[in-house]
């Protein structure tokens, strides 16, 4: 070892084992992988080598952090069943450090014959001590491809002799079952806090939950046992076995994107009854109801943020803490303009680029920061100081402050509704959403689109932003912005305006501008939908 740097890997490097296991999980030559906002995400059928290599990477990340536990989630969230994906979670529940996203991409793309030497160089350059222990806890959602991908991932762990623990619900009742204490403890803690928070309030009418035929079905069934009559559930779309069901015509993304209820709930929902949809991995939450006139009304992430923030503001005020505890809301450009206006009149609001890591970071600048993306992804982060207050203390027990958990968000909404004695309609009337439309545009190279000002303006392609603004100005209460997706190979166009027809028209027109500018395949030009 020279003082200039470490020339060799510290500790054992089992190159033969790694090579032997790696040969079982060859990388397809024609696929290029990239670790994006949501980790690696693509068709489940081309992810075998990625999962194997992520197993290795997770073990190395743990060694690098002195044996702290790393989390790995195998899921493609709200995406269709044939997709799958994997992301890493750092020890405190936060997203993988950005530099390691780059390492992950590098390792995933290394050709088979170079993999072991690329890995060696990486371990040496990153100064990972291979004699350190490593601990990895992992889980998957209910997708059919999940089972074999878990095996590939476990091979990655085994090749380094790393310790892994399967925290997935699918091991329940099998000989691999891991003690359920922690999962049970979690439901116990949440439901006890919930009971305390709603005690003395009127009986809560049943809540309809669309579980997206995903992993949330298992969790909701479990939680129902703990909550009993305190909060009765009516569970739908709980079939995690029939192929093709996951997120199909159900789930939070379906509801938000199509702006209608899952067909399976039509005829089930009674007027005024509260209903909500989870997504495939149960980290998004969308509330909705049918009003007296039989209209479908959505209570999305913005409405949730508004409800929760106003409740927290009330609690802080009642506790006489207004001067010392700063409550704020964090949104992205996708937040409905009406919500931004409503909130900005009442408390500080910050806008960040898309992605939980940006929102979370900004939320930490407040003492209590509430963030929900419009699509229902989010959580409030409450500080330790608030323990002076009983309700705030119970709130911290209830909410999951590091990673999205739609069920804990749902309980929080129910607490606030119970406290404010709000019906779904009263909650909805806090402000009226501006009609809006989100469109995907397929372009040859989405990376040509660069943004600034929390993604609200395009920097490149040059001149396009000016054209968008020229269009937007022709619409009353018009707003539109364009950004490349971090999770799909598309550019997203968002538009809102005072009238439904105008929002649709604006979205279509901006979509057309983007498409023409990017030189897309004419057969994929956005279609008129208004
Ligand atoms: P992209 O594909 O970068 O737009 C989508 C969501 C994000 C976030 C991530 C991660 C929209 C418009 N975008 O990101 O809000 O949830 O997925 O899942 O909903
Ligand atoms: Zn999700």
């Amino acid at each position: 070892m020279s003082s200039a740097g470490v020339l060799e890997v510290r500790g054992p490097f089992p190159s033969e084992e790694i090579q032997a296991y790696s040969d079982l999980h060859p990388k397809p030559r024609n696929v290029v992988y990239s670790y994006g906002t949501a980790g690696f995400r693509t068709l489940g059928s081309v992810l075998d080598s990625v999962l194997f290599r992520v197993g290795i990477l997770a073990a190395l990340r743990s060694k690098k952090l002195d044996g702290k536990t790393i989390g790995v989630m195998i899921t493609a969230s709200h995406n269709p069943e044939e997709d799958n994906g994997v992301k890493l979670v750092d020890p405190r529940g936060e997203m993988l450090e950005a530099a390691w996203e780059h390492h992950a991409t590098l390792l995933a793309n290394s050709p088979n014959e170079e993999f072991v030497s690329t890995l060696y160089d990486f371990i040496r350059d990153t100064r990972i001590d291979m004699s350190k222990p490593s601990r990895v806890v992992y889980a998957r959602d209910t997708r059919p491809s999940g089972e074999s991908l878990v095996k590939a991932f476990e091979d990655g762990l085994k090749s380094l002799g790393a310790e892994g623990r399967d925290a997935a619900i699918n091991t329940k009742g099998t000989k691999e079952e891991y003690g359920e204490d922690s999962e049970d403890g979690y439901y116990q803690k949440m439901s006890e806090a919930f009971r305390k928070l709603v005690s003395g309030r009127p009986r809560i009418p049943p809540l309809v939950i669309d579980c997206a035929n995903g992993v949330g079905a298992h969790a909701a069934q479990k939680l129902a046992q703990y909550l009993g009559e305190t909060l009765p559930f009516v569970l739908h779309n709980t079939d995690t076995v029939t192929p093709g069901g996951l997120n199909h015509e159900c789930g939070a993304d379906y509801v938000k994107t199509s702006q209608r209820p899952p067909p399976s709930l039509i005829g089930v929902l009674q007027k005024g009854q509260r209903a909500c949809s989870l997504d495939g991995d149960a980290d998004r939450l969308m509330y909705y109801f049918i009003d007296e006139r039989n209209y479908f009304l959505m209570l999305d992430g913005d409405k949730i943020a508004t409800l929760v923030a106003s409740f927290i503001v009330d609690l802080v005020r009642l506790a006489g803490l207004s001067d010392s505890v700063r409550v704020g809301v964090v949104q992205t450009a996708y937040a409905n303009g009406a919500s931004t206006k409503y909130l900005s009149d009442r408390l500080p609001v910050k806008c960040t680029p898309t992605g939980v890591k940006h929102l979370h970071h900004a939320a930490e600048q407040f003492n209590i920061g509430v963030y929900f993306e419009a699509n229902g992804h989010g959580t409030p982060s409450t500080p330790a100081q608030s323990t002076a207050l009983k309700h705030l203390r119970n709130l911290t027990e209830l909410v999951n402050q590091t990673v999205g958990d739609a069920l804990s968000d749902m309980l929080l909404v129910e607490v606030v509704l119970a406290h404010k004695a709000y019906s779904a309609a009263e909650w909805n009337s806090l402000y009226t959403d501006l009609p809006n439309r989100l469109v995907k545009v397929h372009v040859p190279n989405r990376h040509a689109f660069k943004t600034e000002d929390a993604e609200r303006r395009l920097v490149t392609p040059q001149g396009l932003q000016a054209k968008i603004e020229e269009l937007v100005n022709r619409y009353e209460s018009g707003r539109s912005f364009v950004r490349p997706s971090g999770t799909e190979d598309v550019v997203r166009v968002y538009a809102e305006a005072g009238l439904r027809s105008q929002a649709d028209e604006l979205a279509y027109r901006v979509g057309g501008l983007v498409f023409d500018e990017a030189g897309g395949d004419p057969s994929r030009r956005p279609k008129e939908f208004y």
Side-chain angles (χ1 to χ4, degrees), residues 37-38 41 77-79 87 253 256 279 281 283-284 332 334 354-356 359 373-377 438 455 481 483-490 492 494:
T37 326
R41 193 175 290 183
S77 184
H78 57 280
N79 287 22
K87 60 186 163 198
D253 190 53
K256 176 73 182 165
D279 71 339
D281 58 349
D283 63 352
R284 289 190 188 190
T332 70
Y334 289 108
T354 307
V356 174
L359 289 139
E373 294 180 293
N375 63 31
H377 218 163
L438 187 58
E455 304 179 324
F481 66 93
R483 58 175 277 281
S485 162
T487 62
E488 279 181 82
D489 192 11
V490 297
R492 295 194 202 282
Y494 175 90

Side-chain angles (χ1 to χ4, degrees), residues 436-500:
N436 59 87
R437 184 64 68 183
L438 187 58
V439 185
K440 289 183 199 181
V441 185
H442 296 267
V443 299
N445 176 21
R446 73 183 201 277
H447 303 293
F449 290 75
K450 300 252 183 307
T451 62
E452 61 181 4
D453 186 25
E455 304 179 324
R456 287 174 289 195
R457 297 171 44 85
L458 278 177
V459 181
T460 62
Q462 261 199 354
L464 186 53
Q465 181 61 34
K467 291 185 190 161
I468 296 171
E469 282 167 24
E470 202 264 314
L471 256 182
V472 167
N473 289 336
R474 295 192 219 159
Y475 293 81
E476 202 213 307
S477 303
R479 184 170 73 93
S480 179
F481 66 93
V482 174
R483 58 175 277 281
S485 162
T487 62
E488 279 181 82
D489 192 11
V490 297
V491 167
R492 295 194 202 282
V493 171
Y494 175 90
E496 65 186 29
L499 296 173
R500 163 90 280 149

Side-chain angles (χ1 to χ4, degrees), residues 323-387:
D323 290 340
S324 51
V325 177
R326 223 167 84 91
V327 185
V329 175
V330 187
Q331 301 188 314
T332 70
Y334 289 108
N336 194 280
S339 76
T340 311
K341 181 168 182 330
Y342 179 91
L343 286 165
S344 308
D345 289 345
R346 291 162 175 82
L347 72 179
V349 178
K350 215 178 151 355
C351 183
T352 73
T354 307
V356 174
K357 67 177 167 196
H358 298 293
L359 289 139
H360 190 82
H361 182 72
E364 282 175 346
Q365 313 301 309
F366 297 111
N367 297 115
I368 304 183
V370 178
Y371 64 93
F372 275 90
E373 294 180 293
N375 63 31
H377 218 163
T379 196
S381 75
T382 52
Q385 301 95 291
S386 68
T387 48

Side-chain angles (χ1 to χ4, degrees), residues 100-398:
W100 279 63
E101 294 184 359
H102 177 75
H103 302 326
T105 303
L106 186 90
L107 287 180
N109 289 303
S110 161
N112 296 315
E113 49 291 354
E114 290 169 21
F115 176 65
V116 175
S117 71
T118 306
L119 184 67
Y120 185 90
D121 293 350
F122 163 66
I123 295 172
R124 181 197 55 208
D125 297 346
T126 323
R127 302 177 181 216
I128 294 167
D129 182 349
M130 295 297 283
S131 58
K132 288 275 163 74
S134 59
R135 291 182 197 90
V136 180
V137 50
Y138 55 97
R140 68 170 175 94
D141 68 16
T142 56
R143 276 159 219 275
S145 59
E147 201 168 329
S148 80
L149 291 179
V150 163
K151 296 222 161 67
F153 172 80
E154 287 170 339
D155 277 357
L157 294 179
K158 276 188 230 160
S159 72
L160 290 190
E163 191 190 315
R165 193 184 108 197
D166 187 347
I169 44 102
N170 61 308
T171 57
K172 251 176 61 189
T174 72
K175 61 179 187 328
E176 284 118 34
E177 175 170 333
Y178 183 81
E180 283 184 18
D181 346 350
S182 57
E183 201 193 336
D184 270 340
Y186 185 63
Y187 294 118
Q188 182 105 37
K189 183 171 146 187
M190 280 208 303
S191 54
E192 267 173 27
F194 183 80
R195 266 177 220 285
K196 286 185 203 152
L197 282 159
V198 300
S199 79
R201 307 277 153 182
R203 211 180 169 79
I204 305 176
L207 170 67
V208 172
I209 308 176
D210 154 25
C211 301
N213 293 320
V215 68
H218 300 274
Q221 273 152 1
K222 215 116 197 238
L223 183 59
Q225 292 167 15
Y226 285 87
L227 290 168
E229 283 307 298
T230 318
L231 175 59
F233 292 165
V234 184
L235 301 181
H236 284 268
N237 302 321
T238 55
D239 178 1
T240 58
V241 185
T242 308
L246 183 73
N247 296 324
H248 182 67
E249 301 211 315
C250 60
D253 190 53
Y254 174 87
V255 173
K256 176 73 182 165
T257 313
S258 66
Q259 312 194 0
R260 59 172 79 106
S264 55
L265 292 190
I266 293 173
V268 170
L269 292 181
Q270 291 157 24
K271 285 181 180 173
Q273 185 172 27
R274 295 153 7 272
C276 63
S277 287
L278 314 176
D279 71 339
D281 58 349
D283 63 352
R284 289 190 188 190
L285 177 69
M286 197 58 56
Y287 264 74
Y288 43 90
F289 70 106
I290 311 278
D291 76 0
E292 283 305 314
R293 301 163 305 163
N294 263 326
Y295 285 171
F296 172 70
L297 290 163
M298 235 184 325
L299 299 154
D300 65 359
D302 301 333
K303 280 262 155 81
I304 296 175
T306 305
L307 182 77
V308 169
S310 68
F311 179 59
I312 293 176
V313 166
D314 289 351
L315 288 182
V316 168
R317 195 183 305 122
L318 284 172
L321 292 173
S322 300
D323 290 340
S324 51
V325 177
R326 223 167 84 91
V327 185
V329 175
V330 187
Q331 301 188 314
T332 70
Y334 289 108
N336 194 280
S339 76
T340 311
K341 181 168 182 330
Y342 179 91
L343 286 165
S344 308
D345 289 345
R346 291 162 175 82
L347 72 179
V349 178
K350 215 178 151 355
C351 183
T352 73
T354 307
V356 174
K357 67 177 167 196
H358 298 293
L359 289 139
H360 190 82
H361 182 72
E364 282 175 346
Q365 313 301 309
F366 297 111
N367 297 115
I368 304 183
V370 178
Y371 64 93
F372 275 90
E373 294 180 293
N375 63 31
H377 218 163
T379 196
S381 75
T382 52
Q385 301 95 291
S386 68
T387 48
L389 221 77
K390 194 170 108 242
H391 279 325
L392 283 174
R393 185 167 49 227
N394 285 328
L395 270 190
T396 59
E397 294 280 296
L398 186 63

